[in-house]
Amino acid sequence: MNTPHSAKVAGIDSTVPSPAHTVASVAPGTSPAGAPNATEATEVAQVTGASGAPCAPGGLLQDRLAGWVSDLTTLHELTERLVRTDSLSAGIQEVLRAGAALVGARRGLVALEPADGLGPGATVGLGLARTDLGHLETVPRSSLPHGRILDGLPVGEGGIAEPDLFAEKGLDPRHREVAARLGYAASFALPLSAEGTGRMGAAVWLYDEPAEPGERQRHLVGLYTRYAGQHLARLLEVEHTRACMATMAEELLPSRLPRVPGVQLAARHRTGPLGGGDWYDALPLPDAALGLAVGSVTGSGPSVVAAMGRLRASLRAYSVMEGEDPVAVLSDLELLLRLTEPARSATALFGYCEPALRRITLAGAGHSPPLLIGERRTEFVETSLSAPLGMLACWEAPSVEVQAEAGETVLLYTDGLLHRTGDPADRAFARLHAAAAGVPRAKRHDPGAVAEHVLRTVLPDGLADADSEEDVVLLAVRFE
């Protein structure tokens, strides 16, 4: 008797293994030695249910369809959660959690090591502390399943399963010792790769008892990791671009601040993920003076970072030639911007600092006023209202003088500090003033501590380090 073929259903791959709960049961009273053959089992499954009760001839197909729908629904929910992750670390954590649920494990790790060598590389654990990951790193790489994957050794479609580590004769002694210490007895590993990118890393899940995923589990986790590999590849590219932009921006800014008698300097800089145009500078000038500058080019991205570098370099040249006249410095910078960057605008604040006199002569172009922080006063410096550079046919605004006392700090900053708060301008300025006024007395002698306190107070709960389209720059100048 021939086994009837199941009807072909749109969207269902007939090669997908049947769900575990649809496998035909052995008839009561039948021993394994006398188990029915495949044809007889199919016939039994078509006419009886799990309890042995008769069912319609189409019951087997309906049961399989229900299993497939359940699996597709599970994969859809897991991939939906994955695509909502927008950072590499969050994406890896989601892959670990979803994979653990699919293979029935409790712990695991992802070792990220792109084959192109561009990085970033990382090892992220699920249910494993940093010390646990350190113990695993002491095991020879070739004896770990994910280590063999990272080394480029061939891996079957079903991954690498080690169902009982302590029963395996060829297990490395160090691996056996670490497994006993961490309390796992089996593992299952899969490569993480993407089309066009190649191998990115490996994922391994750890079982507390001897176990291995079944055929259905392997199939589902294989489908999931193939999709996850594509998503992680995109996040990896974003992370790589972000790191390159941050490095480029940092390289265009001062690697160290100058040492000038009479003042102490400190800076804080936070770059957005797309690369922004905020900058700061401090340049020694003739007659023991100091040129101070903060500014911002509108927009984000590589072209903005490049424009920021050009403007900062030009401002340094102008400050050497005529730094004692900040208005002339910004006028020259505005002319350069209109001639070479006609589609851009920028804000800037330049100060000619005379440490011996504790005096700063300031000129600003569309920039927020500096903040003077002292024992007896905390106040914004009154500056003239002016347009950003590149907005008018000819920029010019009067300069102002700031006379500080010994121990006082002048804080220059960019608008990103205010914008990241998400508050209206008046509330953001009030928050900044309150943060500056609340600097503890013990920190006021250190401009770095002052800048850090203001940054963390104005942007609490991780906002200072969170990804944002806004760059943040603070330059603190303390007079001795």
Side-chain angles (χ1 to χ4, degrees):
M1 179 177 179
N2 295 328
T3 303
H5 294 286
S6 299
K8 198 170 184 181
V9 180
I12 301 297
D13 183 0
S14 60
T15 63
V16 175
S18 299
H21 59 272
T22 65
V23 176
S25 304
V26 177
T30 304
S31 64
N37 59 33
T39 301
E40 292 170 342
T42 303
E43 291 173 346
V44 171
Q46 287 178 319
V47 297
T48 63
S51 62
C55 64
L60 176 62
L61 177 59
Q62 292 177 359
D63 195 23
R64 286 185 176 180
L65 284 174
W68 284 327
V69 170
S70 174
D71 292 340
L72 290 174
T73 301
T74 299
L75 287 176
H76 175 73
E77 291 175 353
L78 293 177
T79 52
E80 280 289 306
R81 279 165 37 183
L82 178 63
V83 298
R84 285 197 290 269
T85 60
D86 56 1
S87 68
L88 186 60
S89 59
I92 292 175
Q93 285 289 347
E94 183 57 39
V95 169
L96 281 171
R97 285 191 291 266
L102 290 172
V103 303
R106 189 172 63 89
R107 294 178 291 172
L109 66 90
V110 164
L112 204 63
E113 190 177 295
D116 56 15
L118 296 178
T123 301
V124 180
L126 174 68
L128 296 172
R130 188 177 298 273
T131 54
D132 298 334
L133 296 177
H135 287 311
L136 284 168
E137 290 177 354
T138 65
V139 179
R141 179 162 158 151
S142 59
S143 67
L144 292 169
H146 63 281
R148 296 196 290 274
I149 293 173
L150 295 176
D151 287 338
L153 298 178
V155 180
E157 291 186 2
I160 300 177
E162 294 179 331
D164 191 346
L165 289 170
F166 299 105
E168 188 175 332
K169 295 181 180 179
L171 189 67
D172 184 273
R174 180 57 184 165
H175 190 185
R176 191 186 307 274
E177 179 185 344
V178 170
R181 175 177 293 184
L182 300 186
Y184 69 90
S187 66
F188 176 68
L190 281 174
L192 293 174
S193 59
E195 185 178 354
T197 303
R199 174 181 55 78
M200 296 181 296
V204 59
W205 291 276
L206 308 176
Y207 296 90
D208 296 342
E209 303 291 340
E212 67 177 310
E215 180 186 7
R216 191 73 184 176
Q217 290 174 308
R218 293 193 189 204
H219 180 76
L220 291 177
V221 76
L223 290 175
Y224 178 79
T225 53
R226 281 197 291 273
Y227 178 85
Q230 299 292 338
H231 184 67
L232 291 180
R234 291 190 289 270
L235 294 178
L236 190 64
E237 184 178 357
V238 171
E239 194 74 19
H240 180 63
T241 303
R242 180 179 302 177
C244 289
M245 294 303 303
T247 301
M248 184 187 305
E250 292 296 333
E251 289 296 324
L252 290 173
L253 295 174
S255 57
R256 65 180 63 182
L257 295 172
R259 294 179 178 272
V260 178
V263 293
Q264 294 175 293
L265 303 174
R268 295 294 182 269
H269 180 223
R270 300 291 185 270
T271 304
L274 301 179
D278 287 19
W279 85 86
Y280 66 92
D281 207 350
L283 180 67
L285 297 176
D287 301 325
L290 184 66
L292 305 170
V294 292
S296 176
V297 180
T298 55
S300 60
S303 62
V304 171
V305 174
M308 177 268 284
R310 291 191 292 269
L311 282 181
R312 174 177 169 268
S314 301
L315 188 142
R316 289 174 70 90
Y318 297 145
S319 63
V320 169
M321 292 187 294
E322 46 193 0
E324 66 281 358
D325 186 356
V327 172
V329 171
L330 291 188
S331 296
D332 292 342
L333 191 65
E334 196 273 339
L335 177 60
L336 177 73
L337 185 67
R338 283 195 293 112
L339 294 177
T340 61
E341 312 275 353
R344 300 192 189 281
S345 62
T347 64
L349 186 71
F350 178 77
Y352 180 75
C353 176
E354 300 170 275
L357 301 177
R358 301 194 189 98
R359 182 172 62 196
I360 302 178
T361 305
L362 289 166
H367 209 82
S368 297
L371 194 56
L372 186 60
I373 306 170
E375 292 289 342
R376 295 184 297 274
R377 58 175 176 170
T378 299
E379 58 189 34
F380 289 103
V381 175
E382 293 289 341
T383 58
S384 58
L385 184 64
S386 61
L389 303 175
M391 296 293 289
L392 302 177
C394 182
W395 175 90
E396 186 170 349
S399 61
V400 297
E401 285 190 359
V402 179
Q403 187 65 53
E405 301 294 333
E408 291 187 327
T409 299
V410 177
L411 185 67
L412 314 180
Y413 54 93
T414 57
D415 292 343
L417 178 65
L418 306 174
H419 294 163
R420 279 202 187 194
T421 64
D423 292 336
D426 56 343
R427 290 187 182 180
F429 277 114
R431 178 183 292 190
L432 174 58
H433 186 276
V439 175
R441 184 181 300 272
K443 295 183 177 181
R444 290 179 181 262
H445 68 281
D446 181 2
V450 171
E452 192 68 26
H453 176 86
V454 170
L455 179 65
R456 301 293 176 181
T457 306
V458 175
L459 301 175
D461 303 325
L463 286 177
D465 300 313
D467 289 342
S468 171
E469 295 181 0
E470 299 288 345
D471 282 11
V472 175
V473 162
L474 292 91
L475 179 60
V477 185
R478 180 183 184 273
F479 289 93
E480 297 177 345

